[in-house]
Amino acid sequence: TVRELLSRYRGYYPAPRSVEETIALVGLEDKRDTRAGRLSGGQQRRLDVALALIGDPELIFLDEPTTGFDPGARRQFWGVIADLRDLGKTVFLTTHYMDEAQALADRVAIIASGRIVAQDTPARLGGRDHAGCEIHFRLPGSFEESDLPHLDDAEATVEGVEVRVRTAAEQATLWTLLGWSRERGVELAGLEVTRPTLEDIYLDLVGRP
């Protein structure tokens, strides 16, 4: 069973974690007395992680640990990794989920064809902190592109009522647009600001398919 396996592995280490605490960390409380062969694929992955954690290591290698997890279990496990990091553990995580790397990593290394092609914090990787943003909103049907205000250091694209503005000066561009909308009495429907995601940067670095 899950509890028996962890108890066995616990005996290999001089200062292991508590079995019950480790079971709770990976979210297998209701499966503690279930035999490993009867666990689902995702639950078996959680058991793998529990076996890695039971010895309370200082350095932990996790190779795609959330493969097979449902979204709720993935977020729960992210909390486990964050807690380990906060305890001062070093976690070396391999993942193909860019949102996972962005949420958890202090530093990211991107590997393509066996070589590290970029290495930095998630915020600065590939120049994300200087890549600017895209502002998107919808205009009322009575307005046209020529009605928009002049935007310094920004490029606006209008398709019907959909407007996309690429800018490196996020705050200044937003102030200009919001001031214009207030003066004209125009609602910028669906206003949102997006930045390049870590996945966008990854695809640019390794070459889009």
Side-chain angles (χ1 to χ4, degrees):
T1 67
V2 169
R3 194 204 310 261
E4 290 168 341
L5 279 168
L6 287 170
S7 297
R8 169 68 62 86
Y9 273 73
R10 187 178 189 274
Y12 298 154
Y13 300 99
R17 302 179 71 96
S18 155
V19 169
E20 291 301 320
E21 178 187 62
T22 305
I23 288 173
L25 267 177
V26 297
L28 286 177
E29 297 99 315
D30 60 342
K31 298 293 181 180
R32 55 169 53 88
D33 295 317
T34 301
R35 297 179 70 86
R38 295 183 179 177
L39 298 175
S40 69
Q43 290 165 350
Q44 289 180 354
R45 294 289 288 175
R46 292 193 223 181
L47 177 57
D48 289 341
V49 173
L51 294 173
L53 298 180
I54 193 67
D56 197 25
E58 291 299 312
L59 174 62
I60 305 165
F61 288 84
L62 298 176
D63 185 15
E64 302 192 39
T66 60
T67 298
F69 282 22
D70 61 57
R74 282 185 69 214
R75 290 304 176 106
Q76 182 182 27
F77 187 68
W78 288 5
V80 173
I81 296 177
D83 290 344
L84 292 171
R85 180 186 57 201
D86 292 342
L87 289 172
K89 311 295 186 182
T90 298
V91 181
F92 194 101
L93 173 71
T94 307
T95 182
H96 281 97
Y97 298 121
M98 295 298 102
D99 58 338
E100 188 162 88
Q102 187 162 328
L104 295 175
D106 296 309
R107 293 186 63 80
V108 174
I110 291 180
I111 299 176
S113 301
R115 294 178 178 273
I116 293 178
V117 296
Q119 186 174 194
D120 212 327
T121 66
R124 288 164 37 192
L125 193 69
R128 287 183 69 224
D129 53 346
H130 299 299
C133 68
E134 184 174 274
I135 302 169
H136 174 253
F137 58 91
R138 295 188 300 277
L139 283 173
S142 58
F143 282 77
E144 299 179 355
E145 181 174 357
S146 58
D147 296 314
L148 289 171
H150 175 71
L151 300 171
D152 293 325
D153 300 319
E155 177 184 348
T157 303
V158 181
E159 295 181 2
V161 297
E162 303 287 335
V163 181
R164 295 187 182 276
V165 180
R166 296 184 62 86
T167 179
E170 176 183 337
Q171 286 192 350
T173 302
L174 277 172
W175 287 338
T176 300
L177 287 170
L178 292 173
W180 173 82
S181 69
R182 186 174 60 251
E183 291 172 3
R184 296 289 191 94
V186 177
E187 179 183 355
L188 303 181
L191 178 66
E192 62 179 2
V193 180
T194 59
R195 296 181 173 280
T197 65
L198 199 57
E199 185 167 321
D200 293 330
I201 298 300
Y202 170 84
L203 291 172
D204 287 338
L205 288 168
V206 303
R208 294 180 180 270

